[in-house]
Amino acid sequence: TDKTYYPMDNTRDDGYADDLSKLTDGVKGSIYGGGTARYSGWFAETVDIVLDVGTTSDYNTFSVYAAANADWGIIAPSGLTVSVSDTLNGTYKQVASTTTVTAVETDSTTGWTTYLITVTVKPIERVAKSTSTVFDGTYNNRFVKLEIASGGEEANHIWLDEVEVAYVELEEDD
């Protein structure tokens, strides 16, 4: 929680512009009763968020929380690509991606649905047991870029709630 992050340009003036704290403050938005004020919105084909995770943390799991409402023109994201770098403006190495977007909760009266996109990357020695992206262990690069793809074939509104980077202990069979 409360990690520094650097979102792509967001020049909205409708109350849903990112405030540089919503995405990592640990507070989840709600699709019920006007709770959408917790979301940050972009109009783009892909939203890039770079997290500064510090210098000492190991991590292997990346999550993005989002919301969509087709009546508002807000489409669910279609995937997540994760890259890492030791410097903010350096070269980023892709370490994971997924197109698995899970609907978590739907409010049938308002048309809002919340979504979760999570990817856990596994050590190279376990690749033979799974179809995960190949990598050489947990990462500890300071900067993590999360690229959240729009759900359409062109730019769409993308609403994000929280982004998280964590370390999850993997079982031998994972």
Side-chain angles (χ1 to χ4, degrees):
T1 30
D2 289 327
K3 298 268 187 224
T4 299
Y5 64 94
Y6 307 90
M8 63 183 280
D9 183 40
N10 185 11
T11 54
R12 297 177 67 112
D13 61 359
D14 63 359
Y16 293 100
D18 186 64
D19 65 359
L20 301 179
S21 69
K22 286 182 189 178
L23 297 184
T24 61
D25 64 4
V27 179
K28 301 286 191 302
S30 172
I31 57 174
Y32 302 102
T36 57
R38 295 288 324 142
Y39 291 88
S40 295
W42 284 265
F43 186 79
E45 289 183 37
T46 303
V47 174
D48 295 342
I49 307 293
V50 176
L51 290 162
D52 181 346
V53 296
T55 57
T56 60
S57 298
D58 286 342
Y59 49 84
N60 62 0
T61 301
F62 312 91
S63 299
V64 173
Y65 297 83
N69 184 327
D71 292 342
W72 285 37
I74 302 167
I75 309 302
S78 61
L80 171 64
T81 301
V82 181
S83 303
V84 296
S85 177
D86 289 324
T87 59
L88 177 61
N89 295 316
T91 301
Y92 282 79
K93 173 185 174 186
Q94 182 178 327
V95 297
S97 66
T98 185
T99 57
T100 301
V101 180
T102 305
V104 176
E105 175 174 42
T106 298
D107 180 351
S108 60
T109 60
T110 63
W112 284 100
T113 301
T114 57
Y115 294 90
L116 174 61
I117 309 169
T118 296
V119 61
T120 299
V121 289
K122 299 174 180 160
I124 196 166
E125 62 268 18
R126 294 191 193 158
V127 168
K129 296 181 182 179
S130 71
T131 59
S132 291
T133 303
V134 176
F135 91 121
D136 56 2
T138 56
Y139 285 99
N140 60 9
N141 301 81
R142 181 171 174 179
F143 297 96
V144 176
K145 183 192 309 185
L146 304 173
E147 299 173 63
I148 301 97
S150 164
E153 295 180 9
E154 54 190 43
N156 282 297
H157 291 281
I158 300 173
W159 275 23
L160 304 178
D161 182 14
E162 286 287 308
V163 295
E164 298 174 341
V165 174
Y167 177 78
V168 174
E169 188 70 37
L170 300 174
E171 297 295 322
E172 191 61 36
D173 294 336
D174 285 345

